[in-house]
Amino acid sequence: MIPTRKLGQLTVGAQGLGCMGMSQAYGVRDNDDESIATIHRALDLGVTLLDTANVYGPETNERLVGKAIADRRDRVVLATKFGIVWGEDGSMGARGDAAYVKQSCDASLARLGVDHIDLYYQHRVDPNVPIEETWGALSELVQAGKVRYLGISEASAATIRGAHAVHPVTALQSEWSLWTRDIEAEVLPTCRELGIGIVPFSPLGRGFLTGAITSTADLPADDLRRRLPRFAEDNLDSNLGIVAALRELAAEKGITAGQLALAWVQSRGDDVVPIPGTKRRTYLEENVAAAEITLTADDLARIDAAAPATAFAGARYPEHLAKVAGR
């Protein structure tokens, strides 16, 4: 069993499980039975934080997670999200008005088949709605017993402070890994000042840091990563060189490159609970094993030398997906 960590006042396993890829983004949804078996195995290994969202699928991922946990709800710290809306042109937008917050929560509860959500995130910040309105509505959900704790995702330091002034923010979920370190300058210090836990998504760089992806030809035709700048051919060769160096360091320690990357994220502090995503038990077990890996000061120095913060080529998202990040 992996150890536990605290996100604010919420105790969870030191590593969570991102469930999005079971229903979208990384190839076809091909085996719900294996996805459910992966969730069950995660719980057996001490992974308690399961992460989903209303937009994953859309909606199908919440139903899948709900089915998986129906007979073991008391073992799960269940996290879901609201707030992302899609434009007709495929651009990502956000909605945070009070009516939508409450409507979204009720819909998620129904799909998940539960009477409360343990950790409810604002997935993206709506620039047209004051954060006080959104978080006022969220606070009412806590008071009603529908939600236990509140989180926010991909938000700026100023927005986090504004939300926290209305109701305590338990966790920030943002991308953080060896190849995405944007939160380190302002957001991370703000969270630590306020006692907010950190939940890094894509801690394996959307699988790139495992070394398994060497060409976009390795990816299914409908895979999200084919549209991300860092996977574009003009950036790929440069990024592969960095991963090759990380693979060498991992081999010296007798671990995989993915485990090295996860161990690096987990070494950032006891308030950090990464949520690597997988729909296969084999990869889950490899990921969970990283929770027990200790990196020495020398290991960390060599990792930073091989993959400094600004080393990777390409933007995180194409423009149509980037507009609502970091508000």
Side-chain angles (χ1 to χ4, degrees):
M1 296 284 285
I2 61 172
T4 60
R5 289 185 170 183
K6 296 202 79 172
L7 299 171
Q9 299 302 309
L10 182 60
T11 300
V12 297
Q15 189 180 112
L17 176 62
C19 298
M20 179 186 78
M22 297 174 179
S23 301
Q24 71 168 55
Y26 303 130
V28 296
R29 178 181 176 181
D30 54 356
N31 191 336
D32 283 356
D33 289 341
E34 176 63 17
S35 294
I36 289 171
T38 299
I39 290 172
H40 292 171
R41 180 61 177 149
L43 296 174
D44 290 341
L45 293 171
V47 174
T48 60
L49 179 62
L50 301 182
D51 185 86
T52 182
N54 63 347
V55 77
Y56 297 161
E59 301 182 355
T60 54
N61 194 242
E62 285 185 323
R63 294 191 181 97
L64 175 67
V65 171
K67 181 180 178 181
I69 68 172
D71 61 348
R72 57 201 79 198
R73 175 68 179 93
D74 59 342
R75 298 170 59 188
V76 174
V77 177
L78 181 60
T80 192
K81 314 178 198 73
F82 76 93
I84 287 180
V85 293
W86 294 102
E88 293 183 4
D89 61 353
S91 63
M92 182 189 290
R95 186 173 170 187
D97 57 279
Y100 181 74
V101 172
K102 295 174 181 179
Q103 168 194 328
S104 295
C105 180
D106 287 343
S108 286
L109 288 169
R111 284 189 292 269
L112 290 161
V114 299
D115 62 5
H116 71 277
I117 295 161
D118 296 305
L119 179 57
Y120 198 38
Y121 289 102
Q122 181 177 8
H123 207 167
R124 293 293 188 276
V125 176
D126 185 341
N128 300 312
V129 174
I131 196 68
E132 292 79 9
E133 176 180 338
T134 305
W135 277 69
L138 285 168
S139 184
E140 290 178 12
L141 292 175
V142 175
Q143 293 167 20
K146 294 181 178 182
V147 174
R148 292 177 62 212
Y149 296 95
L150 302 178
I152 197 165
S153 180
E154 295 281 88
S156 68
T159 297
I160 292 167
R161 288 186 185 279
H164 194 72
V166 177
H167 187 99
V169 180
T170 290
L172 168 82
Q173 184 176 137
S174 284
E175 186 169 358
W176 193 18
S177 70
L178 279 168
W179 85 341
T180 299
R181 299 173 66 171
D182 303 350
I183 70 168
E184 293 179 356
E186 295 182 2
V187 170
L188 183 61
T190 298
C191 288
R192 288 187 164 152
E193 175 194 334
L194 299 175
I196 298 168
I198 314 297
V199 180
F201 73 82
S202 296
L204 293 170
R206 302 185 185 275
F208 191 79
L209 297 175
T210 66
I213 300 167
T214 59
S215 166
T216 52
D218 297 334
L219 303 172
D222 60 345
D223 196 298
L224 167 70
R225 291 168 290 189
R226 284 180 173 266
R227 304 193 300 276
L228 300 181
R230 288 183 183 169
F231 290 86
E233 294 300 335
D234 53 345
N235 294 321
L236 198 64
D237 287 345
S238 173
N239 293 336
L240 283 170
I242 301 168
V243 172
L246 293 172
R247 291 180 73 174
E248 288 183 15
L249 294 177
E252 290 179 22
K253 294 185 68 68
I255 60 178
T256 68
Q259 288 174 324
L260 184 75
L262 272 177
W264 180 88
V265 174
Q266 295 188 167
S267 76
R268 301 297 86 188
D270 290 338
D271 56 352
V272 177
V273 179
I275 50 168
T278 182
K279 52 188 174 182
R280 300 280 185 268
R281 282 169 285 182
T282 301
Y283 297 134
L284 167 78
E285 291 171 359
E286 179 179 319
N287 291 343
V288 169
E292 306 285 358
I293 295 170
T294 299
L295 298 177
T296 66
D298 181 60
D299 290 332
L300 293 170
R302 295 178 70 193
I303 291 169
D304 282 339
T310 59
F312 288 93
R316 207 159 55 105
Y317 290 120
E319 185 177 352
H320 74 285
L321 295 180
K323 293 178 181 178
V324 295
R327 283 177 176 163

